[in-house]
Amino acid sequence: MSDVKRLQRIAWSSLTAISLLLGAATLWLWVRSYGRIDRFDYVQAPARYTVNCARGHFEIEIDRNAGYAIPEQGLIWTPWSGPQGAADEAMVIRTMDYQFPRRIRFFGFTWGPPRGSQYVVTGAFWPLLFVAGMLPVWRFVSYGRRVIRRQRKGVCFECGYDLRATPDRCPECGAVTARS
């Protein structure tokens, strides 16, 4: 295998692993959001970045002038109350549409022009999970197709060498083949 193909394989495998981790984190936050509210604040004066998760939705808020008023700088995680609090927070997230006029809605997300120094994006977790799962599913399906194609042709699964003369072991790479 050439160095370029090896690098491509490593890059695709790394991207797939990152996509799987992001998908798992998104799924965890999505499921957790139905029972609890999570609020993540990152404060670095002069800005404050906030992510709220509740009832299958999230809200990302960027306020460029609020960081001076908060004495704690850095990352702050605030787990809120149980299911009743999650319902209340979902109401807050839904009413954000009314606070910001001319909101744009697309594929479960809403955003619009900033209001003063505050910019807010709201959305559902399912589109994020869908996008994070596309690459791993594509890689899994393409691997299955490649294995089936090589099995039909009678070649080695690892290197693609013709196995008609030696059906039990590949003379090129030494891989043992499982023939049915």
Side-chain angles (χ1 to χ4, degrees), residues 32-37 54-55 79-89:
R32 182 179 164 90
S33 72
Y34 282 100
R36 295 234 172 237
I37 300 170
R55 303 289 281 182
W80 288 7
S81 60
Q84 179 60 41
D88 294 342
E89 179 66 13

Side-chain angles (χ1 to χ4, degrees), residues 1-176:
M1 182 184 296
S2 71
D3 289 339
V4 173
K5 284 193 175 190
R6 184 172 290 127
L7 282 176
Q8 285 178 342
R9 190 178 200 179
I10 290 170
W12 279 111
S13 297
S14 300
L15 286 174
T16 303
I18 290 169
S19 183
L20 277 172
L21 288 174
L22 286 174
T26 302
L27 181 64
W28 178 74
L29 280 173
W30 186 14
V31 170
R32 182 179 164 90
S33 72
Y34 282 100
R36 295 234 172 237
I37 300 170
D38 286 312
R39 179 183 174 117
F40 302 93
D41 288 310
Y42 179 73
V43 180
Q44 186 66 41
R48 178 189 60 156
Y49 307 94
T50 303
V51 176
N52 293 315
C53 305
R55 303 289 281 182
H57 290 79
F58 65 90
E59 169 191 272
I60 300 171
E61 178 184 330
I62 301 170
D63 197 342
R64 302 223 181 260
N65 293 325
Y68 291 121
I70 301 172
E72 274 190 70
Q73 300 288 311
L75 184 63
I76 305 162
W77 172 44
T78 310
W80 288 7
S81 60
Q84 179 60 41
D88 294 342
E89 179 66 13
M91 177 72 106
V92 170
I93 289 175
R94 277 191 227 111
T95 57
M96 289 304 293
D97 288 342
Y98 302 115
Q99 292 179 9
F100 289 84
R102 300 184 313 274
R103 302 286 290 173
I104 300 169
R105 291 175 179 81
F106 177 72
F107 201 56
F109 296 98
T110 60
W111 68 93
R115 184 173 168 194
S117 65
Q118 189 178 27
Y119 189 80
V120 177
V121 175
T122 60
F125 279 112
W126 66 265
L128 297 177
L129 190 61
F130 178 76
V131 169
M134 285 174 57
L135 180 62
V137 167
W138 175 70
R139 292 281 309 245
F140 182 73
V141 168
S142 66
Y143 177 76
R145 285 182 179 173
R146 185 172 57 244
V147 167
I148 290 170
R149 190 178 327 116
R150 285 186 174 183
Q151 189 176 20
R152 284 184 186 154
K153 287 182 178 180
V155 297
C156 177
F157 295 145
E158 298 296 323
C159 65
Y161 190 80
D162 188 3
L163 295 177
R164 287 181 288 184
T166 57
D168 297 330
R169 180 179 288 272
C170 177
E172 185 74 21
C173 67
V176 177

